Amino acid sequence: MAAPTACMSRIFAWLGLAPWAIEPERLAIGVRESDSHYRMKYTHQQTERIMTPKQHEIPPRIQAQIETACTWFYELYYPGKLK
């Protein structure tokens, strides 16, 4: 998120593609979409520039339920977090 132009340049090079200049402050946006899986309830937010996503607050009760149900995930990707 901090350096999208440099990151995309490395991705293009890794893919063996010709360099492609992106303008992270002037992105082309298309038609707004909704998530059809949820029967068009949640629209997809689009912006004309790359922005750091906002942190989603999860209620402690639900976070605890997720950690209990997915202990393997936390042990694999966040060792020591559940202690």
PDB file of all heavy atoms in Angstrom, residues 48-79:
ATOM      1  N   GLU A  48     -10.839   6.362  -6.780  1.00  0.00           N
ATOM      2  CA  GLU A  48      -9.957   6.691  -7.891  1.00  0.00           C
ATOM      3  C   GLU A  48      -8.486   6.657  -7.490  1.00  0.00           C
ATOM      4  O   GLU A  48      -7.627   6.957  -8.310  1.00  0.00           O
ATOM      5  CB  GLU A  48     -10.313   8.055  -8.454  1.00  0.00           C
ATOM      6  CG  GLU A  48     -11.683   8.073  -9.108  1.00  0.00           C
ATOM      7  CD  GLU A  48     -12.046   9.436  -9.648  1.00  0.00           C
ATOM      8  OE1 GLU A  48     -11.404  10.439  -9.269  1.00  0.00           O
ATOM      9  OE2 GLU A  48     -12.981   9.501 -10.453  1.00  0.00           O
ATOM     10  N   ARG A  49      -8.200   6.316  -6.223  1.00  0.00           N
ATOM     11  CA  ARG A  49      -6.805   6.234  -5.807  1.00  0.00           C
ATOM     12  C   ARG A  49      -6.636   5.072  -4.828  1.00  0.00           C
ATOM     13  O   ARG A  49      -7.589   4.635  -4.202  1.00  0.00           O
ATOM     14  CB  ARG A  49      -6.332   7.537  -5.190  1.00  0.00           C
ATOM     15  CG  ARG A  49      -7.062   7.924  -3.940  1.00  0.00           C
ATOM     16  CD  ARG A  49      -6.643   9.346  -3.505  1.00  0.00           C
ATOM     17  NE  ARG A  49      -7.346   9.717  -2.308  1.00  0.00           N
ATOM     18  CZ  ARG A  49      -6.886   9.533  -1.078  1.00  0.00           C
ATOM     19  NH1 ARG A  49      -5.708   8.978  -0.883  1.00  0.00           N
ATOM     20  NH2 ARG A  49      -7.575   9.895  -0.038  1.00  0.00           N
ATOM     21  N   ILE A  50      -5.416   4.591  -4.715  1.00  0.00           N
ATOM     22  CA  ILE A  50      -5.115   3.507  -3.796  1.00  0.00           C
ATOM     23  C   ILE A  50      -5.031   4.074  -2.391  1.00  0.00           C
ATOM     24  O   ILE A  50      -4.373   5.086  -2.158  1.00  0.00           O
ATOM     25  CB  ILE A  50      -3.789   2.810  -4.187  1.00  0.00           C
ATOM     26  CG1 ILE A  50      -3.971   2.137  -5.551  1.00  0.00           C
ATOM     27  CG2 ILE A  50      -3.367   1.809  -3.117  1.00  0.00           C
ATOM     28  CD1 ILE A  50      -2.713   1.510  -6.091  1.00  0.00           C
ATOM     29  N   MET A  51      -5.734   3.442  -1.469  1.00  0.00           N
ATOM     30  CA  MET A  51      -5.748   3.891  -0.083  1.00  0.00           C
ATOM     31  C   MET A  51      -5.549   2.698   0.838  1.00  0.00           C
ATOM     32  O   MET A  51      -5.943   1.579   0.503  1.00  0.00           O
ATOM     33  CB  MET A  51      -7.092   4.546   0.260  1.00  0.00           C
ATOM     34  CG  MET A  51      -7.410   5.753  -0.580  1.00  0.00           C
ATOM     35  SD  MET A  51      -8.954   6.597  -0.157  1.00  0.00           S
ATOM     36  CE  MET A  51     -10.071   5.329   0.295  1.00  0.00           C
ATOM     37  N   THR A  52      -4.956   2.945   1.993  1.00  0.00           N
ATOM     38  CA  THR A  52      -4.814   1.906   2.996  1.00  0.00           C
ATOM     39  C   THR A  52      -6.206   1.571   3.531  1.00  0.00           C
ATOM     40  O   THR A  52      -6.963   2.482   3.870  1.00  0.00           O
ATOM     41  CB  THR A  52      -3.911   2.379   4.150  1.00  0.00           C
ATOM     42  OG1 THR A  52      -2.650   2.745   3.594  1.00  0.00           O
ATOM     43  CG2 THR A  52      -3.725   1.295   5.187  1.00  0.00           C
ATOM     44  N   PRO A  53      -6.576   0.293   3.575  1.00  0.00           N
ATOM     45  CA  PRO A  53      -7.911  -0.051   4.073  1.00  0.00           C
ATOM     46  C   PRO A  53      -8.068   0.271   5.559  1.00  0.00           C
ATOM     47  O   PRO A  53      -7.093   0.246   6.309  1.00  0.00           O
ATOM     48  CB  PRO A  53      -8.019  -1.558   3.828  1.00  0.00           C
ATOM     49  CG  PRO A  53      -6.629  -2.028   3.643  1.00  0.00           C
ATOM     50  CD  PRO A  53      -5.805  -0.876   3.187  1.00  0.00           C
ATOM     51  N   LYS A  54      -9.286   0.566   5.951  1.00  0.00           N
ATOM     52  CA  LYS A  54      -9.582   0.848   7.354  1.00  0.00           C
ATOM     53  C   LYS A  54      -9.613  -0.459   8.142  1.00  0.00           C
ATOM     54  O   LYS A  54      -9.998  -1.507   7.621  1.00  0.00           O
ATOM     55  CB  LYS A  54     -10.933   1.538   7.490  1.00  0.00           C
ATOM     56  CG  LYS A  54     -10.987   2.899   6.843  1.00  0.00           C
ATOM     57  CD  LYS A  54     -12.374   3.485   6.944  1.00  0.00           C
ATOM     58  CE  LYS A  54     -12.436   4.809   6.207  1.00  0.00           C
ATOM     59  NZ  LYS A  54     -13.792   5.332   6.126  1.00  0.00           N
ATOM     60  N   GLN A  55      -9.202  -0.397   9.392  1.00  0.00           N
ATOM     61  CA  GLN A  55      -9.250  -1.552  10.275  1.00  0.00           C
ATOM     62  C   GLN A  55     -10.709  -1.807  10.659  1.00  0.00           C
ATOM     63  O   GLN A  55     -11.410  -0.893  11.071  1.00  0.00           O
ATOM     64  CB  GLN A  55      -8.415  -1.289  11.539  1.00  0.00           C
ATOM     65  CG  GLN A  55      -8.382  -2.433  12.508  1.00  0.00           C
ATOM     66  CD  GLN A  55      -7.580  -3.617  11.995  1.00  0.00           C
ATOM     67  OE1 GLN A  55      -6.634  -3.454  11.246  1.00  0.00           O
ATOM     68  NE2 GLN A  55      -7.950  -4.791  12.396  1.00  0.00           N
ATOM     69  N   HIS A  56     -11.159  -3.031  10.512  1.00  0.00           N
ATOM     70  CA  HIS A  56     -12.522  -3.386  10.895  1.00  0.00           C
ATOM     71  C   HIS A  56     -12.539  -3.789  12.365  1.00  0.00           C
ATOM     72  O   HIS A  56     -11.755  -4.640  12.787  1.00  0.00           O
ATOM     73  CB  HIS A  56     -13.045  -4.549  10.042  1.00  0.00           C
ATOM     74  CG  HIS A  56     -13.182  -4.195   8.599  1.00  0.00           C
ATOM     75  ND1 HIS A  56     -14.253  -3.497   8.110  1.00  0.00           N
ATOM     76  CD2 HIS A  56     -12.374  -4.437   7.537  1.00  0.00           C
ATOM     77  CE1 HIS A  56     -14.110  -3.316   6.812  1.00  0.00           C
ATOM     78  NE2 HIS A  56     -12.972  -3.886   6.441  1.00  0.00           N
ATOM     79  N   GLU A  57     -13.408  -3.185  13.121  1.00  0.00           N
ATOM     80  CA  GLU A  57     -13.545  -3.531  14.531  1.00  0.00           C
ATOM     81  C   GLU A  57     -14.401  -4.792  14.649  1.00  0.00           C
ATOM     82  O   GLU A  57     -15.480  -4.866  14.054  1.00  0.00           O
ATOM     83  CB  GLU A  57     -14.193  -2.387  15.308  1.00  0.00           C
ATOM     84  CG  GLU A  57     -13.332  -1.139  15.361  1.00  0.00           C
ATOM     85  CD  GLU A  57     -12.020  -1.352  16.086  1.00  0.00           C
ATOM     86  OE1 GLU A  57     -11.991  -2.112  17.078  1.00  0.00           O
ATOM     87  OE2 GLU A  57     -11.016  -0.765  15.648  1.00  0.00           O
ATOM     88  N   ILE A  58     -13.911  -5.755  15.387  1.00  0.00           N
ATOM     89  CA  ILE A  58     -14.653  -6.995  15.623  1.00  0.00           C
ATOM     90  C   ILE A  58     -14.942  -7.062  17.121  1.00  0.00           C
ATOM     91  O   ILE A  58     -14.028  -6.941  17.930  1.00  0.00           O
ATOM     92  CB  ILE A  58     -13.831  -8.229  15.189  1.00  0.00           C
ATOM     93  CG1 ILE A  58     -13.509  -8.129  13.697  1.00  0.00           C
ATOM     94  CG2 ILE A  58     -14.577  -9.521  15.506  1.00  0.00           C
ATOM     95  CD1 ILE A  58     -12.589  -9.215  13.200  1.00  0.00           C
ATOM     96  N   PRO A  59     -16.210  -7.254  17.493  1.00  0.00           N
ATOM     97  CA  PRO A  59     -16.533  -7.362  18.915  1.00  0.00           C
ATOM     98  C   PRO A  59     -15.740  -8.494  19.574  1.00  0.00           C
ATOM     99  O   PRO A  59     -15.512  -9.541  18.953  1.00  0.00           O
ATOM    100  CB  PRO A  59     -18.029  -7.669  18.929  1.00  0.00           C
ATOM    101  CG  PRO A  59     -18.539  -7.141  17.621  1.00  0.00           C
ATOM    102  CD  PRO A  59     -17.398  -7.348  16.648  1.00  0.00           C
ATOM    103  N   PRO A  60     -15.286  -8.294  20.813  1.00  0.00           N
ATOM    104  CA  PRO A  60     -14.474  -9.308  21.503  1.00  0.00           C
ATOM    105  C   PRO A  60     -15.105 -10.694  21.527  1.00  0.00           C
ATOM    106  O   PRO A  60     -14.412 -11.697  21.370  1.00  0.00           O
ATOM    107  CB  PRO A  60     -14.322  -8.744  22.914  1.00  0.00           C
ATOM    108  CG  PRO A  60     -14.509  -7.274  22.768  1.00  0.00           C
ATOM    109  CD  PRO A  60     -15.472  -7.098  21.636  1.00  0.00           C
ATOM    110  N   ARG A  61     -16.417 -10.785  21.696  1.00  0.00           N
ATOM    111  CA  ARG A  61     -17.096 -12.080  21.732  1.00  0.00           C
ATOM    112  C   ARG A  61     -16.932 -12.822  20.409  1.00  0.00           C
ATOM    113  O   ARG A  61     -16.613 -14.014  20.372  1.00  0.00           O
ATOM    114  CB  ARG A  61     -18.587 -11.883  22.041  1.00  0.00           C
ATOM    115  CG  ARG A  61     -19.396 -13.166  22.025  1.00  0.00           C
ATOM    116  CD  ARG A  61     -20.892 -12.911  22.200  1.00  0.00           C
ATOM    117  NE  ARG A  61     -21.485 -12.124  21.139  1.00  0.00           N
ATOM    118  CZ  ARG A  61     -21.873 -12.624  19.953  1.00  0.00           C
ATOM    119  NH1 ARG A  61     -21.703 -13.897  19.682  1.00  0.00           N
ATOM    120  NH2 ARG A  61     -22.412 -11.842  19.047  1.00  0.00           N
ATOM    121  N   ILE A  62     -17.082 -12.104  19.307  1.00  0.00           N
ATOM    122  CA  ILE A  62     -16.958 -12.734  17.998  1.00  0.00           C
ATOM    123  C   ILE A  62     -15.503 -13.077  17.703  1.00  0.00           C
ATOM    124  O   ILE A  62     -15.201 -14.141  17.158  1.00  0.00           O
ATOM    125  CB  ILE A  62     -17.561 -11.824  16.903  1.00  0.00           C
ATOM    126  CG1 ILE A  62     -19.074 -11.710  17.137  1.00  0.00           C
ATOM    127  CG2 ILE A  62     -17.247 -12.352  15.514  1.00  0.00           C
ATOM    128  CD1 ILE A  62     -19.779 -10.745  16.238  1.00  0.00           C
ATOM    129  N   GLN A  63     -14.565 -12.204  18.093  1.00  0.00           N
ATOM    130  CA  GLN A  63     -13.132 -12.499  17.899  1.00  0.00           C
ATOM    131  C   GLN A  63     -12.748 -13.765  18.656  1.00  0.00           C
ATOM    132  O   GLN A  63     -12.031 -14.615  18.131  1.00  0.00           O
ATOM    133  CB  GLN A  63     -12.271 -11.317  18.349  1.00  0.00           C
ATOM    134  CG  GLN A  63     -10.788 -11.544  18.147  1.00  0.00           C
ATOM    135  CD  GLN A  63     -10.394 -11.694  16.690  1.00  0.00           C
ATOM    136  OE1 GLN A  63     -10.926 -11.017  15.822  1.00  0.00           O
ATOM    137  NE2 GLN A  63      -9.463 -12.583  16.409  1.00  0.00           N
ATOM    138  N   ALA A  64     -13.237 -13.904  19.881  1.00  0.00           N
ATOM    139  CA  ALA A  64     -12.937 -15.104  20.668  1.00  0.00           C
ATOM    140  C   ALA A  64     -13.509 -16.349  19.995  1.00  0.00           C
ATOM    141  O   ALA A  64     -12.869 -17.404  19.968  1.00  0.00           O
ATOM    142  CB  ALA A  64     -13.493 -14.953  22.080  1.00  0.00           C
ATOM    143  N   GLN A  65     -14.697 -16.231  19.432  1.00  0.00           N
ATOM    144  CA  GLN A  65     -15.325 -17.354  18.746  1.00  0.00           C
ATOM    145  C   GLN A  65     -14.501 -17.753  17.507  1.00  0.00           C
ATOM    146  O   GLN A  65     -14.291 -18.940  17.249  1.00  0.00           O
ATOM    147  CB  GLN A  65     -16.744 -16.976  18.344  1.00  0.00           C
ATOM    148  CG  GLN A  65     -17.570 -18.095  17.792  1.00  0.00           C
ATOM    149  CD  GLN A  65     -19.001 -17.647  17.511  1.00  0.00           C
ATOM    150  OE1 GLN A  65     -19.315 -16.458  17.528  1.00  0.00           O
ATOM    151  NE2 GLN A  65     -19.859 -18.607  17.245  1.00  0.00           N
ATOM    152  N   ILE A  66     -14.017 -16.768  16.771  1.00  0.00           N
ATOM    153  CA  ILE A  66     -13.187 -17.043  15.590  1.00  0.00           C
ATOM    154  C   ILE A  66     -11.888 -17.729  16.001  1.00  0.00           C
ATOM    155  O   ILE A  66     -11.471 -18.723  15.395  1.00  0.00           O
ATOM    156  CB  ILE A  66     -12.892 -15.740  14.821  1.00  0.00           C
ATOM    157  CG1 ILE A  66     -14.178 -15.194  14.194  1.00  0.00           C
ATOM    158  CG2 ILE A  66     -11.820 -15.966  13.750  1.00  0.00           C
ATOM    159  CD1 ILE A  66     -14.046 -13.792  13.640  1.00  0.00           C
ATOM    160  N   GLU A  67     -11.242 -17.207  17.048  1.00  0.00           N
ATOM    161  CA  GLU A  67      -9.982 -17.789  17.500  1.00  0.00           C
ATOM    162  C   GLU A  67     -10.168 -19.216  17.996  1.00  0.00           C
ATOM    163  O   GLU A  67      -9.303 -20.066  17.784  1.00  0.00           O
ATOM    164  CB  GLU A  67      -9.368 -16.914  18.593  1.00  0.00           C
ATOM    165  CG  GLU A  67      -8.861 -15.592  18.064  1.00  0.00           C
ATOM    166  CD  GLU A  67      -8.360 -14.663  19.145  1.00  0.00           C
ATOM    167  OE1 GLU A  67      -8.283 -15.076  20.326  1.00  0.00           O
ATOM    168  OE2 GLU A  67      -8.032 -13.503  18.820  1.00  0.00           O
ATOM    169  N   THR A  68     -11.293 -19.496  18.614  1.00  0.00           N
ATOM    170  CA  THR A  68     -11.567 -20.847  19.091  1.00  0.00           C
ATOM    171  C   THR A  68     -11.829 -21.797  17.923  1.00  0.00           C
ATOM    172  O   THR A  68     -11.304 -22.905  17.890  1.00  0.00           O
ATOM    173  CB  THR A  68     -12.780 -20.841  20.043  1.00  0.00           C
ATOM    174  OG1 THR A  68     -12.490 -19.978  21.143  1.00  0.00           O
ATOM    175  CG2 THR A  68     -13.097 -22.230  20.551  1.00  0.00           C
ATOM    176  N   ALA A  69     -12.600 -21.339  16.958  1.00  0.00           N
ATOM    177  CA  ALA A  69     -12.957 -22.182  15.818  1.00  0.00           C
ATOM    178  C   ALA A  69     -11.783 -22.376  14.856  1.00  0.00           C
ATOM    179  O   ALA A  69     -11.717 -23.391  14.166  1.00  0.00           O
ATOM    180  CB  ALA A  69     -14.144 -21.577  15.071  1.00  0.00           C
ATOM    181  N   CYS A  70     -10.868 -21.428  14.817  1.00  0.00           N
ATOM    182  CA  CYS A  70      -9.768 -21.472  13.847  1.00  0.00           C
ATOM    183  C   CYS A  70      -8.408 -21.419  14.532  1.00  0.00           C
ATOM    184  O   CYS A  70      -7.493 -20.742  14.066  1.00  0.00           O
ATOM    185  CB  CYS A  70      -9.902 -20.315  12.865  1.00  0.00           C
ATOM    186  SG  CYS A  70     -11.478 -20.302  11.989  1.00  0.00           S
ATOM    187  N   THR A  71      -8.276 -22.153  15.612  1.00  0.00           N
ATOM    188  CA  THR A  71      -7.023 -22.163  16.361  1.00  0.00           C
ATOM    189  C   THR A  71      -5.847 -22.520  15.465  1.00  0.00           C
ATOM    190  O   THR A  71      -4.781 -21.910  15.560  1.00  0.00           O
ATOM    191  CB  THR A  71      -7.129 -23.147  17.537  1.00  0.00           C
ATOM    192  OG1 THR A  71      -8.236 -22.759  18.348  1.00  0.00           O
ATOM    193  CG2 THR A  71      -5.874 -23.142  18.376  1.00  0.00           C
ATOM    194  N   TRP A  72      -6.029 -23.486  14.571  1.00  0.00           N
ATOM    195  CA  TRP A  72      -4.964 -23.907  13.661  1.00  0.00           C
ATOM    196  C   TRP A  72      -4.418 -22.734  12.851  1.00  0.00           C
ATOM    197  O   TRP A  72      -3.229 -22.630  12.616  1.00  0.00           O
ATOM    198  CB  TRP A  72      -5.467 -25.004  12.715  1.00  0.00           C
ATOM    199  CG  TRP A  72      -6.551 -24.509  11.804  1.00  0.00           C
ATOM    200  CD1 TRP A  72      -7.897 -24.534  12.026  1.00  0.00           C
ATOM    201  CD2 TRP A  72      -6.379 -23.869  10.538  1.00  0.00           C
ATOM    202  NE1 TRP A  72      -8.581 -23.952  10.988  1.00  0.00           N
ATOM    203  CE2 TRP A  72      -7.670 -23.531  10.050  1.00  0.00           C
ATOM    204  CE3 TRP A  72      -5.278 -23.533   9.761  1.00  0.00           C
ATOM    205  CZ2 TRP A  72      -7.878 -22.894   8.839  1.00  0.00           C
ATOM    206  CZ3 TRP A  72      -5.489 -22.891   8.539  1.00  0.00           C
ATOM    207  CH2 TRP A  72      -6.776 -22.584   8.097  1.00  0.00           C
ATOM    208  N   PHE A  73      -5.305 -21.822  12.426  1.00  0.00           N
ATOM    209  CA  PHE A  73      -4.898 -20.673  11.618  1.00  0.00           C
ATOM    210  C   PHE A  73      -3.983 -19.746  12.419  1.00  0.00           C
ATOM    211  O   PHE A  73      -2.931 -19.316  11.940  1.00  0.00           O
ATOM    212  CB  PHE A  73      -6.140 -19.913  11.148  1.00  0.00           C
ATOM    213  CG  PHE A  73      -5.831 -18.682  10.334  1.00  0.00           C
ATOM    214  CD1 PHE A  73      -5.596 -18.766   8.974  1.00  0.00           C
ATOM    215  CD2 PHE A  73      -5.768 -17.431  10.939  1.00  0.00           C
ATOM    216  CE1 PHE A  73      -5.312 -17.638   8.235  1.00  0.00           C
ATOM    217  CE2 PHE A  73      -5.484 -16.295  10.201  1.00  0.00           C
ATOM    218  CZ  PHE A  73      -5.256 -16.405   8.842  1.00  0.00           C
ATOM    219  N   TYR A  74      -4.393 -19.450  13.646  1.00  0.00           N
ATOM    220  CA  TYR A  74      -3.595 -18.566  14.491  1.00  0.00           C
ATOM    221  C   TYR A  74      -2.267 -19.207  14.875  1.00  0.00           C
ATOM    222  O   TYR A  74      -1.246 -18.529  14.944  1.00  0.00           O
ATOM    223  CB  TYR A  74      -4.393 -18.143  15.725  1.00  0.00           C
ATOM    224  CG  TYR A  74      -5.432 -17.108  15.374  1.00  0.00           C
ATOM    225  CD1 TYR A  74      -6.702 -17.487  14.991  1.00  0.00           C
ATOM    226  CD2 TYR A  74      -5.116 -15.757  15.396  1.00  0.00           C
ATOM    227  CE1 TYR A  74      -7.649 -16.532  14.643  1.00  0.00           C
ATOM    228  CE2 TYR A  74      -6.043 -14.808  15.051  1.00  0.00           C
ATOM    229  CZ  TYR A  74      -7.320 -15.196  14.675  1.00  0.00           C
ATOM    230  OH  TYR A  74      -8.241 -14.249  14.322  1.00  0.00           O
ATOM    231  N   GLU A  75      -2.276 -20.506  15.128  1.00  0.00           N
ATOM    232  CA  GLU A  75      -1.019 -21.192  15.470  1.00  0.00           C
ATOM    233  C   GLU A  75      -0.055 -21.177  14.285  1.00  0.00           C
ATOM    234  O   GLU A  75       1.144 -21.045  14.455  1.00  0.00           O
ATOM    235  CB  GLU A  75      -1.308 -22.632  15.903  1.00  0.00           C
ATOM    236  CG  GLU A  75      -1.974 -22.699  17.252  1.00  0.00           C
ATOM    237  CD  GLU A  75      -2.423 -24.112  17.613  1.00  0.00           C
ATOM    238  OE1 GLU A  75      -2.401 -24.997  16.728  1.00  0.00           O
ATOM    239  OE2 GLU A  75      -2.829 -24.316  18.762  1.00  0.00           O
ATOM    240  N   LEU A  76      -0.601 -21.292  13.067  1.00  0.00           N
ATOM    241  CA  LEU A  76       0.230 -21.322  11.865  1.00  0.00           C
ATOM    242  C   LEU A  76       0.755 -19.943  11.489  1.00  0.00           C
ATOM    243  O   LEU A  76       1.928 -19.762  11.193  1.00  0.00           O
ATOM    244  CB  LEU A  76      -0.566 -21.929  10.701  1.00  0.00           C
ATOM    245  CG  LEU A  76       0.174 -22.128   9.382  1.00  0.00           C
ATOM    246  CD1 LEU A  76       1.326 -23.106   9.563  1.00  0.00           C
ATOM    247  CD2 LEU A  76      -0.786 -22.650   8.336  1.00  0.00           C
ATOM    248  N   TYR A  77      -0.143 -18.934  11.460  1.00  0.00           N
ATOM    249  CA  TYR A  77       0.223 -17.619  10.953  1.00  0.00           C
ATOM    250  C   TYR A  77       0.535 -16.573  12.025  1.00  0.00           C
ATOM    251  O   TYR A  77       1.169 -15.556  11.733  1.00  0.00           O
ATOM    252  CB  TYR A  77      -0.879 -17.078  10.030  1.00  0.00           C
ATOM    253  CG  TYR A  77      -1.028 -17.919   8.791  1.00  0.00           C
ATOM    254  CD1 TYR A  77      -2.102 -18.789   8.641  1.00  0.00           C
ATOM    255  CD2 TYR A  77      -0.080 -17.876   7.788  1.00  0.00           C
ATOM    256  CE1 TYR A  77      -2.236 -19.567   7.507  1.00  0.00           C
ATOM    257  CE2 TYR A  77      -0.203 -18.656   6.651  1.00  0.00           C
ATOM    258  CZ  TYR A  77      -1.278 -19.501   6.514  1.00  0.00           C
ATOM    259  OH  TYR A  77      -1.401 -20.269   5.396  1.00  0.00           O
ATOM    260  N   TYR A  78       0.079 -16.771  13.243  1.00  0.00           N
ATOM    261  CA  TYR A  78       0.320 -15.826  14.345  1.00  0.00           C
ATOM    262  C   TYR A  78       0.768 -16.580  15.580  1.00  0.00           C
ATOM    263  O   TYR A  78       0.103 -16.525  16.612  1.00  0.00           O
ATOM    264  CB  TYR A  78      -0.945 -15.013  14.648  1.00  0.00           C
ATOM    265  CG  TYR A  78      -1.472 -14.241  13.465  1.00  0.00           C
ATOM    266  CD1 TYR A  78      -2.526 -14.732  12.697  1.00  0.00           C
ATOM    267  CD2 TYR A  78      -0.906 -13.012  13.105  1.00  0.00           C
ATOM    268  CE1 TYR A  78      -3.007 -14.012  11.599  1.00  0.00           C
ATOM    269  CE2 TYR A  78      -1.380 -12.304  12.028  1.00  0.00           C
ATOM    270  CZ  TYR A  78      -2.432 -12.804  11.277  1.00  0.00           C
ATOM    271  OH  TYR A  78      -2.910 -12.106  10.203  1.00  0.00           O
ATOM    272  N   PRO A  79       1.895 -17.285  15.510  1.00  0.00           N
ATOM    273  CA  PRO A  79       2.327 -18.080  16.659  1.00  0.00           C
ATOM    274  C   PRO A  79       2.517 -17.192  17.894  1.00  0.00           C
ATOM    275  O   PRO A  79       3.077 -16.111  17.817  1.00  0.00           O
ATOM    276  CB  PRO A  79       3.641 -18.709  16.201  1.00  0.00           C
ATOM    277  CG  PRO A  79       4.092 -17.904  15.038  1.00  0.00           C
ATOM    278  CD  PRO A  79       2.869 -17.310  14.422  1.00  0.00           C
TER     279      PRO A  79
END
